[in-house]
Amino acid sequence: MSDTGLRQKAARLRRAYAPHEHRPLGGYLVAMGAYAGVTGALAGLVKATGRPVPERPAPSDVVLLSIATHKLSRLLSKDAVTSPLRAPFTRYDRPIGSGEVMEQVRDSGSPTRHAIGELLSCPFCLAVWVATGLTGGLVLAPRLTRLVATALTAVAASDFLQMAYATAQQAAEGAHHDDD
């Protein structure tokens, strides 16, 4: 099939898939290809270094990486300080509290740019990449990965404590005003 025929078929598929909304299917293919490449590179590195892959990860590592994945995904996708990393692919919309921002994906006609913008601004989407990196790190550099994951987990716990404190403080202030 010619390049033109393939492009026409892809355009028909996009229109049939989402006739009333722009969905960057080609960009998603690029992102999936990049993810497959990163995963393949990690697997190749593990094999080349001869690192043993655990048959069953320790439950403590699963919990540690889960919380660290949550925190790092939110830091990368929502934190105001990391917005320069997302700026080429997103546009600032508004603050959403706790040092986080809401951003809109830039749609400049580039399906790849759009897909990257969606990935970088979505903590759920980014979590797959982060978890893959941390899991690879657990095999390739377990001590360092556990140290980094511990720091991220501590920050996540601190975030929840900060929010609980603020909620308790607001409740106490509300109770104080009710007594007046």
Side-chain angles (χ1 to χ4, degrees):
M1 181 178 285
S2 73
D3 188 42
T4 304
L6 191 59
R7 287 181 194 269
Q8 289 173 345
K9 190 172 186 174
R12 281 194 307 272
L13 177 63
R14 274 193 306 277
R15 285 190 303 272
Y17 174 71
H20 304 294
E21 188 174 335
H22 172 67
R23 301 308 309 150
L25 298 181
Y28 294 154
L29 282 172
V30 170
M32 289 189 316
Y35 179 79
V38 166
T39 304
L42 277 172
L45 194 54
V46 168
K47 187 172 176 96
T49 60
R51 295 283 188 170
V53 177
E55 185 175 320
R56 199 171 289 137
S60 59
D61 282 336
V62 174
V63 171
L64 183 67
L65 292 190
S66 297
I67 297 169
T69 294
H70 163 79
K71 186 59 198 172
L72 187 53
S73 297
R74 288 211 70 86
L75 278 171
L76 293 173
S77 65
K78 296 291 180 189
D79 198 89
V81 174
T82 58
S83 59
L85 302 175
R86 299 182 305 273
F89 309 99
T90 61
R91 182 171 286 109
Y92 173 81
D93 189 14
R94 66 186 185 283
I96 55 175
S98 302
E100 293 188 339
V101 296
M102 178 60 69
E103 295 165 329
Q104 299 302 318
V105 174
R106 287 182 190 236
D107 195 357
S108 65
S110 165
T112 302
R113 183 177 183 177
H114 185 108
I116 292 170
E118 284 189 20
L119 175 68
L120 292 178
S121 63
C122 171
F124 299 97
C125 307
L126 202 53
V128 175
W129 291 71
V130 170
T132 299
L134 290 173
T135 302
L138 195 58
V139 174
L140 293 166
R143 289 177 67 178
L144 178 59
T145 301
R146 283 188 186 101
L147 182 64
V148 169
T150 297
L152 289 166
T153 298
V155 173
S158 175
D159 288 350
F160 284 104
L161 291 170
Q162 296 287 359
M163 287 183 226
Y165 183 87
T167 300
Q169 194 173 31
Q170 288 172 349
E173 288 172 4
H176 175 71
H177 291 300
D178 291 342
D179 292 340
D180 291 343

